[in-house]
Every structure is written in structure tokens, then in C-alpha cells.
């Protein structure tokens, strides 16, 4: 059987998915990546291990479907993580600085003090926050030995380098749009921003469409040399595309270590209210834009609380949360500060309104509710920003398969969410783009018509307003400026 091999390179795992030319998942494979924390707030990965995990995932996937012919390769990848390597030898010249890494917070603060915030946001649609890679590129490049033929790029560009045997240095527009060096209106690297961040634009990859020719494979175990690479896209964008969220206002929530909420736009809208504007995807030279809100810590708080309460697994935590009586505490998962729509790097994680009657179940419920509360705040900011309603809202990622968690989201939003049975939304989106590039799918309408197994979850509870009061109280305590608190 003919298929597209979709690589979905994530923060903790690399996955490979074989997708038939009819859009059906034929086989899967995965391999862990590994993350290191060399200093408080520093988060990095090994580029060589990252590539090895991709090869292991590919091998496992191909072993599960030995009679399948790979017609093309597609890439979906973690965004805002960047690295550098020797363009001649392919040797990594530094670690992968993860999107979670906060080591460049002082640089972002300095750039803000120097008056660059408004200009950076105007050009890129992104705030000056250490999540985004502008300052990370500079940190990496400053530590490269002199005289090396350096290349720098997003994770899709590193994978394209590895897949093509170093022959292609390219990325797609969606990944470029998250780099903080890309001009959304010009659809090109900004020499002004490269100057602000201290990055030589010559080391950056060529920006191509999301459905495009990224060269052919060379020396990849299990894949014949010369197999075309026909799509690359950031994982969150890929999920939006995979759901077929093509109408303005349609969106998705991806739950993972953090969460990404995206809604499709009919045209570019300048960002405000803590929401970013980004390229959702670019096809035939034409970008489709989207609003996005990035939540820094989402499902990552669940295993943490599972350990605190001494429970066997996250499923037990969610089951315990479902038994909680009303009136419990609030919880803010600001372990590394807060992302959208607050963008407060000084915020800290906390529980609020705990008393002697607070139960273990209420503590568990406070943590599970925090997923829904953060999504609520991002979606509210998006609605204010666009002046329009949210359309179909899809949910994906591991936690999206839990009915209780998604019911909480629907209740807080007072809006139906659409649960999707296929967990590979990002891989499918990348595969669909490759199919579009190859002419397997003639247009977006054909992709929209592909069968999808979904379950709508309408809002049911009527206590959302009361729960939001508890959340807002906890949020105010979490983000309270220490200097102001001292003076009170």
C-alpha cells in the first residue's frame, strides 16, 4: 500500500505515522527524546538524540506495516525550539534550546527596556518573552567557535538537514513565523529584527511554503534515497490543518505539556490582549493567518499533582477530581511563569483559599480545572480581539481523550468542544499538506471531506461563573508584584 510517512517531532517524544493516500492511519511508531535542566529555568535537548529518536520512531512505524511503500515524507515539529550546527559536517554546535527554556529572560527584559517591544510585536505578532527564539538564536550563536560554517534553525530545518544528508537548509513559513525574526507582512526574514537580536540572516534557513518541495531523503534508515519531502509545518498549525479548521473563527486546543489555542483568521489582524498573530500555514505563496494563545504549563501539572497525592497514575487523579465537592481551592500552574494572555514571567505557581476542610479531591479538582480556566482566558481574549464568535472548536492531544477534562473545558467556555478519536492530529495535518503538494488532494475542500470520527461535548454544568471567581482570585495572587505586596 502507498502511504505518506508523517514525522511528528514533539517535546518529549518523536512519532512517526504512516497515512494512506485516503487519509487513514496505517501504522505508528514512537521514541522518547529526553530533556535536561542544567540550571533552574534552563531547558535543553541533544540535537543528535532528537534525530536518533526520529529514526527509531520511523523504524518502529515501518516495522508495523512492512508492505507499505513510502511515497513522501511530511514533517510536524515542536516550535520555538532552536539549535545550531556545522553546515559542512552536520555536527551540532550547541544544544536544542527548548521553547520552555527561560535562560534568555534577562535579554528580553533588556530589549524591552531599550524600547524594542512594540516594534518586535508589530513585525512578528509575538511579544518579547523568552519562550520565543529571537534571543535564543543569539545565545547559541555567541557560543559557536569562530570559523565554523554555522547553520541555525527551527526544528523542522534541523530535521530537513538530517533527512537530506545536509543538502537542504530550509524551513516552512509557520515555523519561521514563530522565530521572532520573521516579518509577517513581508513573509521574509527581517534584517531589522536580525539586527536587534544580533543574528546574521545568512545562517538562517530558506523559508518555503508549508506544502512545498523540501528536497529528497539521503541515508535515512528504512527510507529509500530520493523519497520526496513535501511538507513541513509547526505541530500546532498542523493540528489546526488536520482538523479541517479552514473557516474563519474555527479553532482547536492542543493539550500537552503546555497548550496551544489557535483560531483561523480571514486576514491578518494585529495582535493585542496578550494574543499572538501567526502564520497558520502557507500554500502557493499565500499565507493563512491565525490567532494563537500559548499556555506554558497545562497537562504537565497533572503528573506533578499525581505524585504529590501519592496516586498511581494521572487517570486516578482525574477520577479523584471528579468526586470533589464544590467550594474547593484555586490553583495556578505558573511553574515557569504565565504565557497567554498574561505574559507574566514573574508569576508563580500556588494554591489559594485552602482551609482545614479542603479535601484531597478538591486539590485534585483545582489542578484539573486549571487546564480549562487557562483555555477560557485565552478564548475570551481572542473573541475580544476579533470581535467575532468562535466557530467549531476541536480538541486534541492526550488529555483531550478524557471526557471529564473536556467536559470541564466545555463548561468553562460555555461552548461545545469537538473531541477527535484520532490522537495524531498534527501528523495527519502534515500528511494532508504533503498530499496537497503531490496533487493527491486537489484542494482544501477535499481535505475537509475526509472522514473524521468526532464527538461533540456541549456545556452542561451551571457553576462556571462561581468556579471562575475562585480562579481569578488565585490568578491575582499569583501575579501580584512582590514590590507592591511589600508596600501594602
Amino acid at each position: 500500500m502507498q502511504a505518506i510517512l508523517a514525522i511528528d517531532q514533539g517535546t518529549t517524544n518523536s512519532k512517526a505515522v504512516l497515512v494512506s493516500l485516503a487519509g487513514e492511519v496505517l501504522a505508528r511508531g514512537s521514541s522518547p527524546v529526553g530533556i535536561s535542566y542544567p540550571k533552574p529555568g534552563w531547558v535543553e535537548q541533544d540535537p543528535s538524540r532528537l534525530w536518533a529518536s526520529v529514526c527509531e520512531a520511523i523504524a518502529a512505524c515501518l516495522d508495523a506495516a512492512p508492505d507499505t511503500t513510502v511515497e513522501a515524507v511530511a514533517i510536524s515539529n515542536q516550535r520555538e525550539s532552536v539549535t545550531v550546527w556545522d553546515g559542512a559536517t552536520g555536527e551540532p554546535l550547541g544544544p536544542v534550546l527548548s521553547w520552555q527554556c527561560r535562560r534568555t529572560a534577562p535579554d528580553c527584559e533588556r530589549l524591552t527596556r531599550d524600547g524594542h517591544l512594540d516594534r518586535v510585536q508589530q513585525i512578528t505578532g509575538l511579544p518579547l518573552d523568552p519562550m520565543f527564539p529571537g534571543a535564543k538564536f543569539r545565545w547559541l550563536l555567541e557560543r559557536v567557535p569562530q570559523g565554523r560554517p554555522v547553520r541555525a534553525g527551527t526544528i523542522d530545518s534541523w530535521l530537513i538537514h538530517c533527512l537530506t544528508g545536509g543538502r537542504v537548509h530550509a524551513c516552512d513559513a509557520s515555523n519561521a513565523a514563530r522565530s521572532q525574526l520573521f516579518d509577517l507582512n513581508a513573509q521574509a526574514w527581517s534584517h531589522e529584527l536580525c539586527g536587534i537580536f544580533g543574528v546574521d540572516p545568512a545562517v538562517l534557513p530558506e523559508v518555503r511554503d508549508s506544502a512545498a518541495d523540501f528536497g529528497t531523503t539521503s541515508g535515512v534508515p528504512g527510507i529509500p534515497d530520493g523519497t520526496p519531502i513535501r511538507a513541513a509545518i509547526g505541530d500546532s498549525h498542523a493540528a489546526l490543518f488536520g482538523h479541517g479548521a479552514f473557516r474563519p473563527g474555527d479553532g482547536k486546543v492542543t493539550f500537552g505539556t503546555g497548550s496551544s489555542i489557535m483560531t483561523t483568521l480571514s486576514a491578518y489582524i494585529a495582535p493585542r490582549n496578550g494574543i499572538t498573530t501567526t502564520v497558520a500555514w502557507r500554500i502557493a505563496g499565500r499565507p493563512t493567518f491565525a490567532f494563537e494563545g500559548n499556555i506554558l504549563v497545562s497537562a504537565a501539572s497533572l503528573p506533578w499533582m499525581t505524585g504529590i497525592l501519592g496516586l498511581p497514575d494521572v487517570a486516578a487523579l482525574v477520577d479523584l477530581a471528579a468526586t470533589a465537592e464544590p467550594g474547593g481551592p484555586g490553583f495556578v500552574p505558573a511553574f515557569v511563569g504565565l504565557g497567554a494572555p498574561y505574559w507574566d514571567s514573574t508569576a508563580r505557581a500556588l494554591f489559594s483559599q485552602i482551609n482545614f476542610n479542603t479535601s484531597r479531591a478538591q486539590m485534585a479538582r483545582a489542578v484539573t480545572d486549571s487546564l480549562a480556566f487557562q483555555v477560557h482566558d485565552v478564548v475570551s481574549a481572542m473573541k475580544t480581539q476579533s470581535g467575532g464568535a468562535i466557530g467549531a472548536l476541536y480538541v486534541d492531544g492526550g488529555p483531550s481523550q478524557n471526557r471529564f477534562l473536556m467536559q470541564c473545558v466545555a463548561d468553562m467556555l460555555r461552548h461545545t468542544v469537538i473531541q477527535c478519536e484520532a490522537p495524531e492530529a498534527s501528523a495527519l495535518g502534515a500528511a494532508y499538506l504533503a498530499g496537497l503538494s503531490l496533487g493527491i488532494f486537489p484542494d482544501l475542500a477535499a481535505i475537509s471531506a475526509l472522514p473524521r470520527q468526532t464527538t461533540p461535548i456541549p456545556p452542561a454544568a451551571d457553576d462556571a461563573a462561581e468556579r471562575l471567581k475562585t480562579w481569578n482570585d488565585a490568578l491575582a495572587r499569583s501575579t501580584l508584584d512582590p514590590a507592591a505586596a511589600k508596600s501594602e
Side-chain angles (χ1 to χ4, degrees):
M1 181 177 288
Q2 296 173 308
I4 295 168
L5 177 67
I7 297 167
D8 183 11
Q9 201 299 299
T11 305
T12 56
N13 292 282
S14 294
K15 301 175 185 177
V17 180
L18 279 171
V19 182
S20 77
L21 303 190
E24 299 171 330
V25 173
L26 303 176
R28 306 169 176 87
S30 67
S31 178
V33 180
I35 303 176
S36 60
Y37 306 89
K39 294 182 182 180
W42 289 33
V43 187
E44 62 187 44
Q45 296 176 297
D46 179 353
S48 296
R49 173 56 206 157
L50 188 148
W51 169 238
S53 73
V54 169
C55 292
E56 291 162 5
I58 290 172
C61 184
L62 295 178
D63 285 347
D67 297 326
T68 302
T69 300
V70 176
E71 294 295 311
V73 176
I75 298 168
S76 160
N77 62 278
Q78 58 167 308
R79 307 165 309 149
E80 292 105 22
S81 298
V82 292
T83 192
V84 291
W85 62 95
D86 187 302
T89 67
E91 175 192 355
L93 298 175
V96 171
L97 297 195
S98 168
W99 60 272
Q100 297 173 297
C101 188
R102 312 296 288 180
R103 74 184 68 189
T104 57
D107 301 288
C108 294
E109 292 166 2
R110 175 181 55 80
L111 290 168
T112 299
R113 289 195 304 271
D114 291 346
H116 295 297
L117 173 61
D118 290 343
R119 185 59 177 157
V120 169
Q121 190 156 335
Q122 179 185 4
I123 297 174
T124 69
L126 306 173
L128 269 172
D129 185 88
M131 173 181 172
F132 300 106
K136 290 175 182 163
F137 276 121
R138 179 175 183 171
W139 191 97
L140 287 165
L141 291 168
E142 285 178 342
R143 287 156 179 80
V144 171
Q146 291 293 321
R148 300 295 291 266
V150 63
R151 288 179 174 178
T154 47
I155 297 304
D156 62 327
S157 63
W158 169 240
L159 295 182
I160 290 165
H161 169 90
C162 294
L163 287 164
T164 62
R167 292 175 300 166
V168 178
H169 187 38
C171 70
D172 100 293
S174 74
N175 277 288
R178 308 301 292 178
S179 71
Q180 217 163 40
L181 301 175
F182 189 71
D183 188 321
L184 290 185
N185 289 305
Q187 287 293 294
W189 298 120
S190 166
H191 285 260
E192 179 184 350
L193 290 176
C194 285
I196 289 172
F197 286 103
V199 177
D200 180 357
V203 307
L204 298 173
E206 176 190 345
V207 181
R208 301 182 183 180
D209 287 348
S210 308
D213 183 353
F214 290 94
T216 58
T217 57
S218 177
V220 182
I223 303 177
D225 287 356
T227 301
I229 305 163
R230 298 305 295 258
I233 185 170
D235 52 8
S236 195
H237 313 247
L240 189 71
F241 194 89
H243 290 308
F246 303 139
R247 297 175 302 177
D250 286 353
K252 63 89 204 179
V253 184
T254 298
F255 291 95
T257 302
S259 287
S260 163
I261 300 97
M262 297 184 80
T263 54
T264 306
L265 299 174
S266 58
Y268 173 82
I269 300 177
R272 297 194 313 275
N273 302 319
I275 300 302
T276 66
T277 302
T278 192
V279 175
W281 48 78
R282 197 172 80 186
I283 299 171
R286 298 182 59 183
T288 293
F289 293 100
F291 279 149
E292 181 168 15
N294 299 98
I295 295 169
L296 301 183
V297 176
S298 181
S301 61
L302 301 182
W304 171 80
M305 193 61 189
T306 297
I308 294 291
L309 293 178
L311 298 169
D313 51 36
V314 168
L317 177 78
V318 176
D319 289 343
L320 178 63
T323 69
E325 294 290 331
F331 171 71
V332 180
F335 295 97
V336 291
L338 287 170
Y342 330 99
W343 296 113
D344 186 346
S345 61
T346 68
R348 292 295 176 262
L350 56 77
F351 282 95
S352 70
Q353 300 188 35
I354 296 174
N355 56 52
F356 284 122
N357 291 322
T358 300
S359 68
R360 296 169 78 249
Q362 288 175 323
M363 298 282 283
R365 180 63 186 266
V367 173
T368 59
D369 271 354
S370 70
L371 276 70
F373 292 139
Q374 291 183 100
V375 171
H376 168 275
D377 289 359
V378 169
V379 170
S380 295
M382 286 179 173
K383 290 166 69 175
T384 300
Q385 174 87 350
S386 66
I390 300 296
L393 188 62
Y394 301 89
V395 291
D396 60 72
S400 72
Q401 300 303 298
N402 186 284
R403 176 65 187 242
F404 172 76
L405 291 176
M406 294 306 101
Q407 186 65 64
C408 291
V409 174
D411 291 346
M412 290 304 118
L413 293 177
R414 296 187 178 89
H415 186 92
T416 297
V417 300
I418 303 171
Q419 192 179 44
C420 304
E421 290 192 18
E424 306 91 350
S426 294
L428 286 170
Y432 296 162
L433 279 163
L436 192 67
S437 177
L438 292 168
I440 295 168
F441 305 121
D443 52 29
L444 297 185
I447 294 172
S448 294
L450 291 172
R452 294 173 175 85
Q453 293 181 304
T454 59
T455 302
I457 302 178
D462 57 3
D463 62 346
E466 198 61 36
R467 289 187 179 277
L468 282 168
K469 287 181 182 178
T470 302
W471 161 254
N472 287 326
D473 173 75
L475 191 65
R477 297 173 189 272
S478 172
T479 60
L480 184 64
D481 180 75
K486 202 170 191 178
S487 65
E488 288 181 354

